[in-house]
């Protein structure tokens, strides 16, 4: 009897020890997972004051309408700034015909950071401005300042470039493309003009050209983010439909990062439909999953009531909005 009892206790003790060891191992796994989830990355600070000045500098050139001195001066300015930040800069010069039969001399500008890194993220915006204020009742035939529609996206990307040049490098390479010829398009409520065979839209001429003629043969990126009208006061950015169709996981990545940073009042989880923008052609032809961060107004739909009007000036630009977009972007890059 006594021996049996001792054996029973021995077996019980062995069993208990096994359970404890399993529990400890389980705890270690849980602890490891928690550490991975809570790992911290040193993300550089995006300076909204600097981004604001980049936007103002563009507006000070005057409307950046293709074939004008302001357009040429702005293009040279962008190239100079990117080069001063240590980027490898390339340009694509090409011609395009507009719906009203103008031949435009256009130029896409590509700035590459850390070209040695194989995993790359593509950031893009358009840098030209609208030649007509055709949604305005006053001076509808005059060009607009384009502070938000054009300059804001470029301003954010110039600040991203500046920060990258002064910070420890992220684990990915970053390419910035400024697309030209996005905003000539067609007239608001005007008659639709038949497209030539080489175009899918009168809009987004630069992204259509680049997507079919990449600056480097075989170039690709893990994903892309387009910035369009990202600087207005009280702006909201919805989960645009084409972005969700082509790159749902990237939308989730960006919006989740914004939420963690406290910017969920800007990056809203609404899906109000889709638009034709540069990202559509990057998805379709370049085969790079690209999303669009684009202004949405619940009262007026996409773009807001200042769209293609003389209201689109520096008065509507908000440093708070620029910070939300820019700091989210830095977080996405450095947590990749």
């Amino acid at each position: 009897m006594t021996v049996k009892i001792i054996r029973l206790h021995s077996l019980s003790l062995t069993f208990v020890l096994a359970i404890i060891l399993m529990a400890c191992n389980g705890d270690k796994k849980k602890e490891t997972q928690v550490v991975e989830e809570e790992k911290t990355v040193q993300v550089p600070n995006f300076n909204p004051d600097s981004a604001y000045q980049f936007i103002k500098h563009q507006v000070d050139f005057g409307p950046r309408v293709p074939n004008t001195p302001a357009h040429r001066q702005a293009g040279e300015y962008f190239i100079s700034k990117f080069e001063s930040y240590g980027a490898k800069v390339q340009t694509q010069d090409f011609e395009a015909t507009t719906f009203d039969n103008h031949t435009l001399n256009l130029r896409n500008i590509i700035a590459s950071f850390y070209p040695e890194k194989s995993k790359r993220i593509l950031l893009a915006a358009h840098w030209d401005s609208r030649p007509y204020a055709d949604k305005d009742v006053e001076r509808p035939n005059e060009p607009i300042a384009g502070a938000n529609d054009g300059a804001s996206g470029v301003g954010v990307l110039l600040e991203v470039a500046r920060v990258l040049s002064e910070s420890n490098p992220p684990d990915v390479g970053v390419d910035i493309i400024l697309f030209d010829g996005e905003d000539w398009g067609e007239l608001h409520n005007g008659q639709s003009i038949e497209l030539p065979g080489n175009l899918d839209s009168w809009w987004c001429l630069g992204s259509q050209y680049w997507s079919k003629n990449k600056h480097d043969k075989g170039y690709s990126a893990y994903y892309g983010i387009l910035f369009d009208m990202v600087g207005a006061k009280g702006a909201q950015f919805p989960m645009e439909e084409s972005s969700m169709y082509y790159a749902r996981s990237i939308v989730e990545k960006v919006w989740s990062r914004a939420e963690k940073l406290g910017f969920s009042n800007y990056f809203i989880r609404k899906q109000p439909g889709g638009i034709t923008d540069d990202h559509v052609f990057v998805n379709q032809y370049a085969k790079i999953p690209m999303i669009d961060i684009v202004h949405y107004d619940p009262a007026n739909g996409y773009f807001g009531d200042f769209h293609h009007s003389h209201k689109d000036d520096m008065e509507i630009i908000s440093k708070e909005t620029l910070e939300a977009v820019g700091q989210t972007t830095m977080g996405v890059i450095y947590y990749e």
Side-chain angles (χ1 to χ4, degrees), residues 111-310:
S112 297
F113 291 84
Y114 326 114
E116 73 283 0
K117 294 181 183 290
S118 58
K119 184 178 181 180
R120 311 200 63 76
I121 295 174
L122 172 60
L123 309 177
H126 77 87
W127 68 275
D128 61 307
S129 59
R130 179 76 167 158
Y132 319 105
D134 51 329
K135 289 186 178 181
D136 207 322
V137 295
E138 297 183 5
R139 300 177 287 126
N141 296 320
E142 294 182 16
I144 65 171
N148 198 36
D149 193 1
S152 68
V154 175
V156 166
L157 295 184
L158 286 172
E159 176 58 11
V160 168
R162 188 195 68 81
V163 174
L164 290 175
S165 73
E166 297 180 355
S167 307
N168 291 329
D171 291 337
V172 293
V174 178
D175 300 296
I176 295 174
I177 300 185
L178 305 185
F179 291 125
D180 202 355
E182 189 265 5
D183 220 0
W184 195 290
E186 297 178 85
L187 289 175
H188 179 62
N189 292 330
Q191 182 180 358
S192 181
I193 308 297
E194 185 178 356
L195 285 162
N198 66 324
L199 291 178
D200 292 330
S201 173
W202 292 114
W203 306 90
C204 307
L205 300 176
S207 57
Q208 289 188 70
Y209 183 85
W210 178 84
S211 296
K212 299 173 185 177
N213 306 274
K214 295 176 184 176
H215 62 288
D216 286 334
K217 187 176 181 180
Y219 171 84
S220 190
Y222 185 45
Y223 60 84
I225 304 173
L226 177 67
F227 302 80
D228 197 1
M229 305 181 68
V230 292
K233 296 174 183 176
Q236 292 186 334
F237 309 112
M239 294 171 152
E240 186 269 340
E241 187 174 63
S242 293
S243 303
M244 294 293 284
Y245 176 79
Y246 287 108
R248 179 182 294 266
S249 64
I250 309 307
V251 174
E252 182 60 36
K253 181 195 294 282
V254 175
W255 265 245
S256 294
R257 182 58 53 194
E259 289 166 356
K260 290 174 182 177
L261 292 170
F263 298 132
S264 57
N265 55 324
Y266 294 94
F267 289 80
I268 60 173
R269 289 187 174 274
K270 293 183 179 179
Q271 299 178 33
I275 59 170
T276 298
D277 208 345
D278 288 315
H279 70 305
V280 170
F281 305 104
V282 174
N283 278 294
Q284 289 181 349
Y285 292 112
K287 304 301 180 185
I288 296 171
M290 175 176 269
I291 68 168
D292 195 1
I293 301 177
V294 60
H295 183 96
Y296 179 79
D297 182 345
N300 296 284
Y302 279 108
F303 314 133
D305 67 347
F306 48 78
H307 185 239
H308 292 178
S309 78
H310 294 298

Side-chain angles (χ1 to χ4, degrees), residues 53-54 57-58 61 72-82 158:
Q53 290 302 317
F54 283 134
H57 198 92
Q58 294 172 76
F61 281 123
R72 289 191 292 274
Q73 291 164 10
E76 293 303 315
Y77 169 73
F78 301 142
I79 293 169
S80 174
K81 295 307 289 185
F82 284 135
L158 286 172

